Amino acid sequence: MKSIIVLGQTNVGKTLFTLNFADFLGMNQLTITFQNRERGSYSRTLALSEAQALLVSDNLHHTQDIQSIVLSLPVGKSEKQFEILDTAGLSDGIHHNEQIRKAMAQTLRYIRQADIVFHLLDCKKIAETDILRGIGEIDYQIAQFGQIKQGYVILANKIDLPNSQEGLNKIYTEFPGNRIIPISAKNKNGFKEVRKFAKQLL
Ligand SMILES: Nc1nc2c(ncn2[C@@H]2O[C@H](COP(=O)(O)OP(=O)(O)O)[C@@H](O)[C@H]2O)c(=O)[nH]1
Ligand SMILES: [Mg+2]
C-alpha cells in the first residue's frame, strides 16, 4: 500500500490536518494504528470528534507515536487505498528528552519509505516570529531531502488566522521552486488541491 507521511515542527497542525483530511475524504470512523516504541502497535477505532479531542493539542510534542490511518480515494470506478502517517514533530538540534529524541528518530526512519511527503509549515508563526524560529533548520533539511521525491509538497497551514499572508509570502521566498499549497487544517481550505496532488501519485 502506498503511503503519505506528514512532517513538520511540533504544533504546526499535523494531527489536525491528518484527521480533517480523512474527514474530507469521507471517512466516518477512523481506525488509527499507533506504532508505540515500547508497547508495539495497536489500533483504535474512533469517530472524528473523539479522535480530535484525544489527539490534537496545544501541548508541544503531544504526538509521540507514529499514528497511521488507512484512507481511500476514488480512482475511476474503484477505490484506491493508501495509508497516511501522522508523525511526532521534528525540531532543531538534539532534544534533551530521550523519549522525544526516540520519537523523532522513528519519524526519520519512515520518511524514506513514503511515496508522498506533506511538509507542514505554520504561516502564522512564521509571520510573527523571527524567520529562523518559524522556519527551522529542520525545515530546510526536510525540503532538501523532499526535493528528491516526486511526491514532496509544502502545505502552508493556518491561513485562516490573521497575519498568515505575511508568513505565506516568506514561505514562497524561502522555498523557491517547490510546490506549495496554502491550507487551513482547521477549515479545510486548500484540501481539494491537496487531494488532487495526492491522487496523481497514489
Ligand atoms: N486556527 C488554526 N489552528 C490550527 C490549524 N491547524 C492546527 N491548529 C491548532 O494548532 C494546535 C496544534 O495542532 P496539532 O494538530 O496538535 O499540531 P501537531 O503538533 O503538528 O500535530 C492546535 O491547537 C490546533 O487546533 C489551522 O489551520 N488553523
Ligand atoms: Mg500531532
Side-chain angles (χ1 to χ4, degrees), residues 11-16 57-58 157-158 160-161 184-186:
N11 244 25
V12 293
K14 296 178 296 300
T15 300
L16 186 62
S57 167
D58 272 333
N157 191 30
K158 307 199 186 180
D160 57 289
L161 294 173
S184 163
K186 186 178 170 203

Side-chain angles (χ1 to χ4, degrees), residues 11-53:
N11 244 25
V12 293
K14 296 178 296 300
T15 300
L16 186 62
F17 167 78
T18 303
L19 297 176
N20 276 350
F21 191 60
D23 183 47
F24 177 76
L25 297 183
M27 312 296 293
N28 302 322
Q29 293 226 308
L30 306 176
T31 298
I32 306 176
T33 303
F34 299 84
Q35 319 269 354
N36 187 272
R37 296 182 309 284
E38 268 114 46
R39 283 175 288 168
S41 85
Y42 61 97
S43 297
R44 284 182 71 176
T45 299
L46 301 166
L48 179 79
S49 57
E50 289 175 308
Q52 281 187 351

Side-chain angles (χ1 to χ4, degrees), residues 1 55 64 76 94-95 100 102 105-106 121-122 133 148 176:
M1 189 172 3
L55 304 174
Q64 289 196 21
I94 299 173
H95 203 279
I100 293 174
K102 285 188 175 162
Q106 185 193 33
L121 293 170
D122 179 339
R133 282 201 297 141
I148 58 175

Side-chain angles (χ1 to χ4, degrees), residues 2-4 21 24-25 72-82 115-116 118 150-151 153 179 181 191-202:
K2 292 204 173 177
S3 69
I4 299 179
F21 191 60
F24 177 76
L25 297 183
S72 67
L73 267 171
V75 176
K77 283 183 185 159
S78 61
E79 292 274 324
K80 194 167 250 180
Q81 290 208 318
F82 64 96
D115 301 282
I116 294 182
F118 286 166
Q150 200 191 2
V153 62
R179 182 74 187 266
I181 305 177
F191 278 28
K192 273 191 191 157
E193 203 180 334
V194 176
R195 179 178 59 194
K196 195 170 151 205
F197 177 85
K199 210 169 166 172
Q200 72 195 15
L201 292 158
L202 289 170

Side-chain angles (χ1 to χ4, degrees), residues 5 9-10 25 84 104 114 119 121 142 155 159-160 200:
I5 193 164
Q9 294 190 43
T10 188
L25 297 183
I84 189 161
M104 290 186 196
H119 178 188
L121 293 170
I142 296 172
L155 303 184
I159 55 160
D160 57 289
Q200 72 195 15

